Amino acid sequence: MVGHIRWKAGQAFRSGLVAVAALIVTTAWNTAEAQPKKVVELFTSQGCSSCPPADRLAEDLVKNNSEDTLTVLMPVDYWDYLGWKDTLASPVYSQRQRAYANQRGDRSVYTPQMVINGEEHVVGSREGEVRAALARAQPFTSKVDLKITDMVVEAKVDGLLPEGAEMATVYFLNIQDEAMVDIGRGENAGRKIKYVNVVRNLQPLGMWSGGAETFRMPKSKLMLKGDARCAILVQVEGPDGPGEIIGAAVMDWNGGS
């Protein structure tokens, strides 16, 4: 009888271990695949004949500099009146570009424009100038730990705000891996253009004032059809709009599902 009881107890213990292991597997976190040191935002348009070279440069940065640099496209809609409605554009990105110009105080809004770490802007097709601006970019002052389960997106932010800054916004980005677009009208009529790392949604998760803080949102509310990856940006907020980007993380959805 004693042996039978011990066997039952051992069986129960092993069953408990299996259950705990199953729970751990079920709730296991998938962590960010990259912690980029720099962020490039390309403001581009399907209706702009000067943009395809910048789109190709962005593709090269995504392909060859992804460990060091997060490069994303933010298509704008203000050239739609020229005869072709950009199929990827959002007025949110047009407003973001204008807000950058207001924050800098130079009113410089054009395509193709690359903004490096939320501060310096350069013509997005001029590779030498783009790489020089990347070399000048200042190190991030915050660290982002991005994790995803089947239920939750969690971003843990830690570090310091730059001197003089009071708050930063923590942004979540849905990113489409690739889009091939046949341009039917406008300045690029008849061309088939490839776009990579296209931002499909830019959503604030909350405000950060320094130190360790965690931001969470349901994964189901943030996934969009066609998304390949997601990213977190930590960006200083100025009185006139977004400023310096001081932290980032990126990962593929299929690595977090």
Side-chain angles (χ1 to χ4, degrees), residues 112-198:
Q113 182 182 55
M114 284 187 178
V115 177
I116 316 298
N117 281 4
E119 294 190 303
E120 185 175 359
H121 71 93
V122 293
V123 176
S125 56
R126 297 176 182 172
E127 182 174 358
E129 294 181 15
V130 170
R131 296 194 183 277
L134 284 168
R136 288 191 293 269
Q138 296 298 305
F140 288 159
T141 61
S142 69
K143 182 179 183 299
V144 181
D145 183 15
L146 173 60
K147 299 180 178 181
I148 299 176
T149 65
D150 57 346
M151 297 285 292
V152 177
V153 176
E154 178 180 283
K156 293 182 179 179
V157 182
D158 199 359
L160 301 171
L161 287 164
E163 185 175 354
E166 297 182 0
M167 299 288 287
T169 302
V170 179
Y171 286 103
F172 180 89
L173 285 67
N174 296 81
I175 301 173
Q176 184 175 344
D177 181 45
E178 182 180 311
M180 295 295 296
V181 180
D182 290 305
I183 312 295
R185 294 184 301 278
E187 292 186 356
N188 289 312
R191 303 183 69 171
K192 187 171 186 176
I193 300 177
K194 182 179 179 181
Y195 300 93
V196 298
N197 268 17
V198 182

Side-chain angles (χ1 to χ4, degrees), residues 40-62:
V40 176
E41 298 169 69
L42 170 60
F43 295 94
T44 185
S45 172
Q46 295 169 13
C48 167
S49 61
S50 301
C51 285
D55 300 325
R56 290 193 294 271
L57 177 56
E59 182 181 2
D60 181 72
L61 291 173
V62 170

